[in-house]
Amino acid sequence: MPTRYLFITGGVVSSLGKGIVTASLSLLLQRRGLKVVPLKFDPYLNVDPGTMNPYQHGEVYVTEDGAETDLDLGHYERFLHQNMHRENNVTAGQVYYDLIRKERAGKFLGKTVQVVPHLTREIQERIRRLARDGVAVVIVEVGGTVGDIESLPFLEAIRQFHLEIGKDNALFVHLTLVPYLGTAEELKTKPTQHSVMKLREIGIQPDFILCRSEKHLPKSVREKIALFTNVPMQHVFEIPYVGTIYEVPLVLHKQGVDQAIADLWHLPGEPDLADWTDLVKRIKHPRHEVTVALAGKYVHMKDTYKSVYEALTHAAAQLRLRVHLRRVDTQRVEREGAEPYLRDVDAVLVPGGFGKRGVEGMIQVARYAREHGLPYLGLCLGMQVAVIEFARHVVGWADAHSTEFDPQTPHPVIVLLPEQKGVRQIGGTLRLGGYEARVFPGTLLHRLYGADRIVERHRHRYEFNPGVREVLEQAGLKVAAESVQGGLVEAIELPGHPFFVAVQYHPEFKSRPLEPHPLFVGFLKAAQEYHDKRYPLLAEA
Ligand code: GLN
């Protein structure tokens, strides 16, 4: 069977959930027994999102092979239960960079190097590269909104690609918004008409239209969209707003979206969605509730800690819990103390981050959790602040700090280490991607993982200072895991505390809806126990 290609574009506005739709269609095809590989094109000129701040970009998702990628790759991994790689995210910056390097190396001697055909060929080559090892479908999500100047080379590249590969093996799916105007009490199709006109102007005729809409699209509206966009009505679908993103594949399947694709490609079979349906049921019908504080710097940005939220969702689904999230801005904790924010929560999580802002507040949060037996999960920076807190208030080094925040501290407990053998360092300094760690038997961590060896993903510069390890361990801090190469501290815990676990890595990147991460499951279980102690009568009921 030849490899097939599905191209997903978006119109009208950004943030329509193209990534979720791409992940959902990937899942539906995968569940028909096909090998599916997604690819995300990002039209910006950065080589990767690694250097963008959370306001610009949201979460930077780190793959096992150490690439800093768009957060949509997180959705792909979570829906497909399959690891992505560096090659699954391509930015305009990368394509231009490689093209210009080739030009400098004399690969185009005598020629004028142009967007068409040279850049577009470079883009197509990135698509073609993924069609190997029995891959049945490559799903390409084109970032940005149709009509943007920046996405033009990508759209031109897929137009040519489609022409070359033939329409039997390549399909265009266009995602749009159909707004509901309260004043007119009407669903408006004009933005969809216009965005498809834009697409057709550059030679792309969509095969499917998926309409994001807060209201059900009546037949008359779908007819109108079909007529103006030149797409058969039975290929105009809707994406209603649903309670959980994991329901999107089910609503698409119910309308027959994947069946319509399968019909065009003569694919046999039916997707098996039993476990997925059960997952959605567990998410939507929890049995107990807990309140978890998330204490960080960017708590008011929806996308910054995306994978953390998703990992909590996966663990909660397994435990049939509803998690009420309390977002705690640690800059406010600095002014008002931790108590007002934490006295009525069941657990607290401190996620990763860079820069000094809010760090003292995080340290106060870690102290409160340690002293009150409140379940604590620290991720990356969340481990570093726990170590600083412990050094200050248990060991008694009042001036202990990370050299990231106080380069002159007499007690540097978190430091930059000289380059380690076997440690990937990109952009000069960051430790990125999957590293193997040894988990020490007898620790809570070991009980949670049920394994001696783990591989977890990293994205940080600073490390636990090996020079203070002995002093801290003697004072009662337990190192629960260390890297196989270099013996770096990967995880700590506090024996005697119901749940105080902090890790130098980012477990949230490896949590999957059907395989929740053991640390998040353990954390929420501890939260539930803490909750039951606060409300003993509720627990009995
Ligand atoms: N800023 C810290 C470091 O670079 C932590 C990074 C993180 O939390 N991702 O080591």
Side-chain angles (χ1 to χ4, degrees):
M1 195 175 87
T3 303
R4 262 81 177 233
Y5 301 85
L6 199 59
F7 296 105
I8 323 268
T9 55
V12 186
V13 291
S14 59
S15 310
L16 278 180
K18 228 183 320 150
I20 306 283
V21 167
T22 304
S24 299
L25 292 174
S26 302
L27 173 79
L28 292 172
L29 293 170
Q30 182 202 50
R31 290 305 181 96
R32 287 175 177 259
L34 301 170
K35 190 162 173 190
V36 179
V37 174
L39 166 62
K40 171 82 194 279
F41 281 140
D42 280 308
Y44 51 71
L45 290 177
N46 303 61
V47 170
D48 65 40
T51 54
M52 282 186 243
N53 75 31
Y55 289 111
Q56 293 285 319
H57 191 269
E59 174 181 84
V60 174
Y61 190 79
V62 180
T63 55
E64 202 80 5
D65 61 355
E68 297 181 280
T69 69
D70 186 72
L71 57 79
D72 280 332
L73 269 79
H75 294 310
Y76 303 164
E77 289 205 354
R78 289 187 279 266
F79 279 65
L80 292 172
H81 290 68
Q82 183 178 304
N83 281 352
M84 296 294 118
H85 309 279
R86 186 174 298 280
E87 61 187 3
N88 299 99
N89 189 194
V90 171
T91 68
Q94 277 164 28
V95 194
Y96 277 102
Y97 194 64
D98 288 355
L99 186 68
I100 290 168
R101 270 208 307 238
K102 283 187 192 161
E103 188 273 339
R104 288 291 85 183
K107 293 261 165 63
F108 302 104
L109 278 189
K111 293 202 190 95
T112 307
V113 183
Q114 293 175 298
V115 170
V116 183
H118 301 103
L119 189 77
T120 47
R121 220 178 266 155
E122 204 56 52
I123 293 170
Q124 289 160 8
E125 162 53 25
R126 302 297 203 283
I127 304 172
R128 221 168 266 122
R129 222 180 261 174
L130 296 177
R132 55 163 200 255
D133 311 327
V135 166
V137 185
V138 178
I139 302 199
V140 183
E141 176 189 349
V142 182
T145 307
V146 168
D148 294 348
I149 291 175
E150 312 212 297
S151 19
L152 274 176
F154 289 98
L155 294 172
E156 171 60 15
I158 63 173
R159 182 194 68 76
Q160 295 170 6
F161 196 95
H162 177 264
L163 184 70
E164 205 176 292
I165 225 92
K167 66 178 179 10
D168 291 340
N169 293 319
L171 294 171
F172 291 115
V173 177
H174 188 57
L175 182 59
T176 73
L177 176 72
V178 179
Y180 178 77
L181 283 197
T183 41
E185 292 183 18
E186 245 185 316
L187 285 161
K188 291 298 189 187
T189 65
K190 196 77 80 192
T192 299
Q193 297 177 32
H194 279 244
S195 104
V196 173
M197 264 178 342
K198 268 268 168 250
L199 260 185
R200 291 169 62 189
E201 227 169 72
I202 50 184
I204 293 177
Q205 165 64 51
D207 299 289
F208 295 92
I209 308 276
L210 302 187
C211 306
R212 189 80 191 266
S213 173
E214 27 173 328
K215 293 252 188 252
H216 170 64
L217 298 192
K219 189 156 167 258
S220 59
V221 172
R222 286 171 51 215
E223 258 165 9
K224 197 163 164 193
I225 292 173
L227 182 66
F228 282 99
T229 60
N230 198 29
V231 171
M233 196 185 101
Q234 61 278 18
H235 288 175
V236 178
F237 298 98
E238 66 186 26
I239 308 176
Y241 285 79
V242 283
T244 160
I245 55 170
Y246 299 108
E247 200 172 352
V248 174
L250 301 183
V251 300
L252 294 180
H253 177 66
K254 213 153 109 202
Q255 294 174 72
V257 182
D258 56 308
Q259 191 54 52
I261 295 171
D263 288 345
L264 289 176
W265 283 346
H266 311 291
L267 304 173
E270 266 282 310
D272 178 1
L273 296 166
D275 53 357
W276 204 268
T277 308
D278 179 58
L279 164 77
V280 170
K281 202 176 82 202
R282 280 182 282 121
I283 295 176
K284 289 173 78 173
H285 304 290
R287 298 204 178 113
H288 305 279
E289 323 200 335
V290 292
T291 304
V292 173
L294 183 91
K297 186 162 72 157
Y298 291 107
V299 286
H300 302 298
M301 303 281 305
K302 190 172 119 288
D303 284 344
T304 306
Y305 309 115
K306 187 111 208 157
S307 295
V308 173
Y309 299 139
E310 295 308 322
L312 286 169
T313 302
H314 307 156
Q318 174 165 317
L319 300 170
R320 302 294 299 256
L321 286 177
R322 179 189 308 281
V323 175
H324 299 284
L325 213 55
R326 165 144 347 138
R327 296 157 205 263
V328 178
D329 178 345
T330 52
Q331 284 179 277
R332 304 186 64 163
V333 171
E334 289 171 7
R335 296 193 292 269
E336 297 156 40
E339 158 84 18
Y341 295 98
L342 298 183
R343 68 170 158 240
D344 53 354
V345 303
D346 303 311
V348 58
L349 188 153
V350 177
F354 293 83
K356 199 179 165 103
R357 205 145 45 86
V359 164
E360 286 301 326
M362 293 173 206
I363 295 172
Q364 289 187 48
V365 165
R367 180 176 194 175
Y368 183 95
R370 179 177 57 77
E371 291 180 346
H372 290 79
L374 179 68
Y376 179 93
L377 181 61
L379 310 178
C380 209
L381 181 60
M383 179 186 107
Q384 298 177 355
V385 295
V387 172
I388 296 167
E389 192 281 314
F390 189 88
R392 285 188 189 175
H393 307 116
V394 179
V395 178
W397 294 335
D399 46 15
H401 223 320
S402 159
T403 54
E404 179 180 5
F405 312 121
D406 179 5
Q408 309 307 335
T409 174
H411 289 106
V413 291
I414 305 291
V415 294
L416 277 182
L417 290 180
E419 190 155 337
Q420 298 284 315
K421 202 168 147 276
V423 173
R424 262 191 307 270
Q425 300 212 312
I426 296 190
T429 48
L430 274 184
R431 175 146 84 114
L432 282 170
Y435 284 92
E436 200 180 17
R438 207 177 277 122
V439 184
F440 299 127
T443 59
L444 171 59
L445 201 75
H446 193 267
R447 221 167 47 242
L448 294 171
Y449 276 107
D452 300 326
R453 293 280 180 118
I454 54 170
V455 176
E456 292 282 6
R457 300 185 192 172
H458 292 252
R459 182 172 185 250
H460 60 103
R461 279 191 188 88
Y462 292 80
E463 302 280 355
F464 187 112
N465 181 355
V468 301
R469 179 166 165 179
E470 210 183 305
V471 180
L472 268 60
E473 286 216 87
Q474 258 157 24
L477 181 118
K478 177 87 198 136
V479 171
E482 65 179 25
S483 64
V484 169
Q485 272 182 328
L488 302 169
V489 172
E490 293 278 16
I492 58 143
E493 57 187 55
L494 298 180
H497 187 290
F499 190 101
F500 196 107
V501 175
V503 295
Q504 186 54 75
Y505 46 82
H506 290 278
E508 68 271 26
F509 292 141
K510 294 186 76 165
S511 177
R512 307 282 177 258
L514 300 170
E515 292 155 21
H517 195 287
L519 288 193
F520 283 85
V521 175
F523 175 61
L524 288 187
K525 259 194 201 153
Q528 197 181 351
E529 279 159 26
Y530 192 88
H531 182 91
D532 292 348
K533 253 192 267 155
R534 285 171 54 216
Y535 301 105
L537 289 175
L538 267 182
E540 268 165 41

